[in-house]
Each structure stands twice: as C-alpha cells, then as structure tokens.
Amino acid sequence: MILLTKVGKRYHDRPQPTLSEVDLRVPAGQFLFLTGPSGAGKTTLLRMLFAAESPTNGSVRVGGADLGRLKPSQLPLLRRKVGVIFQDFKLVGAKSVFENVALALRVAGGRGPDLVSRVEEVVAQVGLNGAAQARADTLSGGEQQRVAIARALVGRPPLLLADEPTGNLDPGTALEVMRLLVQAHAQGATVLVATHDPKLLGLVRGARVVRLAEGHLHEERP
Amino acid sequence: MSRPARRHGPLSRALVQMREDPWLQGVAITTLTVALAIVGAYFTLCLNLRQAGSELRTGGALMVVMADGAGIDEGRQLAAELTASLTNPGPHGPAEAAEVRFVDRQEALDRFRKQLGPHAGLLEGLEDNPLPNAVEIFMAPGKSPGPEMIARLKALPEVAEVVTSRPWLSGLEDASRSLGEAAWALGTLLFLGVVLLVSNTVRLAIYVRRDQLEILDLVGAKPSYVRWPFVLEAVIQACLASALASALVWGLMQILKTPGQLPLGLDLGVLLDFPWTVPAALLGLAVTAGVLGGLLGVGRALRPKGVS
C-alpha cells in the first residue's frame, strides 16, 4: 500500500536533513501511529504521501504509484483516493458543514441524490447531523475537526492520513475523534496518524507505532 | 436534514463565488465599466464622425446671397429658375435639390432675431437691415453641393456669394479620415487594455480565494474544476460592466446633445447619435475580453503545480 525507500528531505534553510534514509512499508489495512517530537518531520512525511511535498532523494509509492513520476494531471486522482485530516482543519469557513463535506465528492463529479445521502450519512456518523447547515466558521474546534474527518471519509478513500488530529482538542473531544478514526479503520481503511501525544498510542489496540527522531525512523511497536 | 440536490456546474459555482465576495465584484465591475465606457465613447465618436460626414456631404443646404442691387422680384425670379433647373430630374439623373426657397431681407432679419433669442435687443440699434436677399437651396437626399454647382451659381449676375458648409465640412472629413486610419490601432490597444484588466481582476479574485483553492487542490479538484468558474465570473462581470458602460456613454450623449445650432441651421442633436451598434459592440467586446482575460488570468495565477 505505502512504500518509502531511502527517502530523504532537506530544506535549504535548515542545516540538518528533515528526513534521512527513511524506509517504511505500510500494508493495506494497517493502523499506524507516526510519533516524534515537534519538528521531527512527521508532517513532511505525511505530506509526501499525498504528493504535497516531494522527497529530495528516494522514492515514495502509494497504492502502487510512484509519486515522483506522477504527472500534474494525475495528482487530483491520487488525492481523491487519500483522505487527509489537517491539524488546522482546512475548512471553507463561509460554507456550511454540508457543503464542506460535499466538496470532496463534487470535485470528483459527484452530484444529485447519491451525493446528498452519502454526505448526510457521514455527517451523521461524526455526530453533526444537527449542524449540517451551520457555517463551518461558527463551530467549535472539536466540531470543525469532525467536519474535517467527515470530509476525509466521505469519498471512502482506502488511505486516511491524519496530522495531529487531536492537537487542538480537549481530552474528551480527542477521544471522540480517535473513535472515528478507529471506526474508519474497522471499515477497511489504512490509517496513518501523526502525533506527538503519547497518550493516543494506547487508545488503539494492535496499532503499529513508528518514531521519527533526527530524521531517522525507528520501529517502536511493530 | 434532507436538502434538495442543487446543480453545481461551473456557472452555478461562478454565481456562488460571486455572491460570496460582493466587495470584489464591486471593484471588478466598476473598473471594467470605466474601461469599457472609454472604449464605448471612442467607438461612439468614430461612428458619429463617420455618420456626420456622410450626413453633411449629402442632403445639406446652401445659401445663394444676392447682389446689393438685386431686389425681391429678381430674387423670386432666381428662385423660380433654380427650382425649375434643380428640383426636376435632368438628363443625367435625379433632381439635385429637394427645395429652393427665396428668403427676403426682412425674413432673414426676423430669423436672425429669433436665433439671437434673449440677445435680440442688440439688433434694436440698427437703422437699416444689413442682411441681403437670398435664395436657400436644400439639397436632395444623397446629393451634395459640389464645386461645379457652386461655380455655376456664383457665375450668375444677380448672385454676390454662395455660402456652403464646405470649408468646415472639409475639416470634419479630414478629421474623420485621420481618425478612421488610427481607429483600428487605437481600438485594438483599448481592447488589449480591457483584456489585461480582466486578467488582473481574475488574478485578484484568485488571490482573495487562495485558501479555498488550496483546499480544492488538496481534496483532488482538477484544474478545469477550479478554472472555469473564474473564467465565467470574468465574462459575467464584463457583461454587467458593458451594460453599465453603455448607460454611461448614453448619458454622456444626452448631456452633450443639449440644443445647439451648427451653421446653416443644422441641429447638433442630429450629429450626436447613440446607435444600437455601440451597446451591441460593447457586449461582444466584453464577452470576448471576458473569455480571453479570464483564460489569461487563470493561466497566469493557476499554473499546474508539481510537488514542492
């Protein structure tokens, strides 16, 4: 499903490489925590998986496709297969919860009653059915994160990436968010969660944990 | 929670994003209106000059001023002769004049007094009527008082002078000709200016919505999904601006049309026209500039990005 081979990343404004010789293989259907301190390169690695960032050296393969050889016209098709949950949510504040979630389907040509029923289903799944018509920027942080999860889930992507999904949330809401990710995993998605919060690691039974430190990847819990 | 499934084609998305940014729409439409009004005013000026030239070349009037010694009887006699020779079809074609009319000195003075309006009192101090007897010739539609005809009239013994609009008409013709030569070059420049303006407006709209566009990119929107609403938005803005610009130029024409007299009784209002071709051309130009400027704008601001 995901295969990183000797991946390195160096930024011009930093003396040390962010990632160095990183090898990682994630089989389909795995739940993986990517841990490490802030600035360890977790976000960089995650962004490489949906081609928002390219490695300085090495190769990144997702679902059999070598992302380094991807043409710009193939990029949208890859991104439709990867649901991404961002730490800062990345919602369109002026649009409703429904419209934010529907966006992921509309860009792929979704429309009509099928789209409406699927969006309603996912919005209900994340517990926001009462707020579907509310503007996204009027919601609390926890609610906005749930909208972001709903948007990532609505297209039934085989790969789900979450970057510090509980970073801005209180413990109760964080638990609820993790429950949604576990639910998505149970439905067959491969889930990668980048977090620096060790408390989250115990919440998912059987999850694999890898740690990024000083650019290198260490297996902590296979 | 059930809600109707709405259409979400490019046009619908363009209208939605226009509604989301009324301020941006105001700025875009206002600047485009000003630019298109300049184009419209220029176009109207060219059309009017051309129209004026052809109007004045044909169907105008000329005045045959009689010599000092020629009295009313001679004037009437001359008018009758000219009526016979000019208002009837000749061997070489249709009649040259539509009407020939004798105007005696008193009628000329009365007419002059009327033209002076509130300043008519200036004439009160005159001991004698200084105006001569004259014959007015109104040319037939499509006919113009050519140099031959003027020379023929001047040669008549009872005629002192023939007054025509020829000298300033020549000036108008020269201006019209020069403008006609420069019209295409200047028109093309103005059109390119509008295209560039539309392009920059689109870039501004893209900049304002950059966060939303980043999200669209991240959820897998194809470039065409993002681009077409911006192009359509530019076309809609340009169309609205063309309507406003037409209204603006029309208003300007109404102000300029305030009654004014040109030599030989020609009305300024006849020369200043706002033909339907102006709004039609502005609309066509707006649609073309909207499409070209829109494509140029999205092409410059939304170049396909590879990974960084």
Side-chain angles (χ1 to χ4, degrees):
Chain A
M1 178 73 196
I2 296 174
L3 185 64
L4 273 68
T5 312
K6 305 280 179 225
V7 168
K9 181 71 182 181
R10 180 183 282 277
Y11 291 104
H12 296 299
D13 55 348
R14 292 185 202 167
Q16 297 299 320
T18 305
L19 298 175
S20 181
E21 302 277 307
V22 170
D23 289 314
L24 177 68
R25 185 174 182 281
V26 183
Q30 191 166 65
F31 196 115
L32 182 135
F33 280 112
L34 183 64
T35 66
S38 294
K42 303 186 294 294
T43 299
T44 301
L45 197 150
L46 229 55
R47 284 171 60 82
M48 282 181 184
L49 299 180
F50 59 96
E53 198 105 38
S54 65
T56 311
N57 48 279
S59 78
V60 179
R61 297 181 79 88
V62 175
D66 184 347
L67 303 194
R69 293 174 187 274
L70 221 55
K71 293 178 190 161
S73 61
Q74 293 172 310
L75 215 58
L77 303 176
L78 167 84
R79 289 180 178 165
R80 289 174 198 173
K81 291 178 187 164
V82 183
V84 188
I85 300 155
F86 300 92
Q87 189 176 5
D88 59 351
F89 318 134
K90 294 218 186 292
L91 300 179
V92 184
K95 288 194 188 292
S96 68
V97 168
F98 184 97
E99 283 304 324
N100 269 283
V101 177
L103 203 61
L105 293 180
R106 291 201 202 285
V107 299
R111 58 182 59 202
D114 289 348
L115 176 141
V116 174
S117 63
R118 174 62 185 153
V119 174
E120 285 176 350
E121 182 189 338
V122 180
V123 169
Q125 192 184 335
V126 298
L128 284 173
N129 42 352
Q133 298 310 317
R135 271 174 63 126
D137 54 8
T138 62
L139 304 176
S140 69
E143 287 170 326
Q144 289 195 32
Q145 188 61 294
R146 280 191 273 166
V147 179
I149 293 173
R151 189 185 59 196
L153 293 176
V154 74
R156 297 189 178 91
L159 176 60
L160 203 57
L161 307 175
D163 188 11
E164 302 284 3
T166 60
N168 298 319
L169 308 178
D170 62 78
T173 314
L175 206 65
E176 181 58 25
V177 165
M178 285 309 295
R179 188 189 64 76
L180 290 168
L181 293 177
V182 169
Q183 202 175 51
H185 175 244
Q187 285 167 0
T190 306
V191 181
L192 257 78
V193 178
T195 180
H196 65 272
D197 184 0
K199 290 198 287 287
L200 292 186
L201 308 184
L203 293 177
V204 185
R205 194 176 295 166
R208 180 181 168 196
V209 179
V210 292
R211 183 176 173 77
L212 258 177
E214 293 174 351
H216 296 281
L217 200 65
H218 308 278
E219 198 81 38
E220 286 213 335
R221 190 166 79 196
Chain B
M1 186 166 95
S2 190
R3 62 200 304 287
R6 285 183 294 165
R7 286 184 63 80
H8 273 264
L11 179 62
S12 158
R13 278 181 280 129
L15 292 172
V16 167
Q17 67 186 28
M18 285 179 82
R19 218 173 29 231
E20 282 172 357
D21 276 313
W23 177 84
L24 186 67
Q25 300 312 314
V27 172
I29 293 171
T30 306
T31 48
L32 281 173
T33 299
V34 172
L36 286 170
I38 292 169
V39 177
Y42 172 72
F43 189 46
T44 308
L45 176 72
C46 288
L47 283 180
N48 273 295
L49 273 177
R50 208 171 67 176
Q51 181 66 17
S54 59
E55 288 260 346
L56 294 174
R57 267 193 299 276
T58 65
L62 75 161
M63 185 166 284
V64 179
V65 180
M66 304 201 64
D68 284 343
I72 291 177
D73 291 341
E74 285 88 343
R76 286 196 174 129
Q77 177 65 29
L78 177 65
E81 285 170 15
L82 290 175
T83 301
S85 64
L86 298 175
T87 61
N88 294 313
H92 303 298
E96 287 187 279
E99 188 189 352
V100 178
R101 190 169 168 275
F102 172 66
V103 181
D104 66 35
R105 302 171 64 198
Q106 189 53 46
E107 187 184 340
L109 187 66
D110 291 344
R111 203 190 274 179
F112 188 40
R113 189 175 282 121
K114 214 171 180 178
Q115 282 180 355
L116 286 175
H119 307 293
L122 292 170
L123 301 177
E124 294 304 317
L126 292 175
E127 286 180 10
D128 288 323
N129 181 354
L131 298 178
N133 291 319
V135 174
E136 274 181 352
I137 303 173
F138 297 92
M139 299 307 293
K143 292 288 181 182
S144 60
E148 254 179 53
M149 182 183 180
I150 292 167
R152 206 170 66 223
L153 290 168
K154 273 185 178 172
L156 297 171
E158 58 269 56
V159 172
E161 186 58 71
V162 177
V163 181
T164 71
S165 53
R166 201 67 231 171
W168 66 269
L169 181 59
S170 297
L172 184 73
E173 279 172 349
D174 287 346
S176 177
R177 201 167 27 250
S178 310
L179 226 126
E181 285 162 6
W184 280 108
L186 195 57
T188 307
L189 273 180
L190 284 172
F191 173 71
L192 289 177
V194 174
V195 170
L196 208 63
L197 193 65
V198 172
S199 152
N200 285 333
T201 308
V202 168
R203 290 178 74 192
L204 177 68
I206 288 171
Y207 178 77
V208 167
R209 297 178 192 134
R210 61 194 180 282
D211 291 342
Q212 198 169 331
L213 297 183
E214 185 199 355
I215 294 166
L216 284 172
D217 187 41
L218 291 173
V219 297
K222 283 186 174 172
S224 58
Y225 183 91
V226 179
R227 284 173 185 186
W228 280 111
F230 281 104
V231 176
L232 290 173
E233 185 180 339
V235 173
I236 294 167
Q237 284 170 346
C239 288
L240 289 173
S242 82
L244 289 173
S246 295
L248 214 62
V249 177
W250 178 84
L252 186 71
M253 299 300 286
Q254 298 312 304
I255 294 168
L256 290 175
K257 259 184 168 178
T258 43
Q261 289 284 315
L262 291 175
L264 297 175
L266 282 167
D267 188 355
L268 189 63
V270 176
L271 296 181
L272 291 175
D273 193 15
F274 184 67
W276 64 269
T277 40
V278 175
L282 274 183
L283 183 65
L285 185 138
V287 171
T288 314
V291 173
L292 290 179
L295 288 172
L296 187 68
V298 293
R300 288 159 79 195
L302 293 176
R303 286 203 177 94
K305 279 176 280 187
V307 288
S308 58

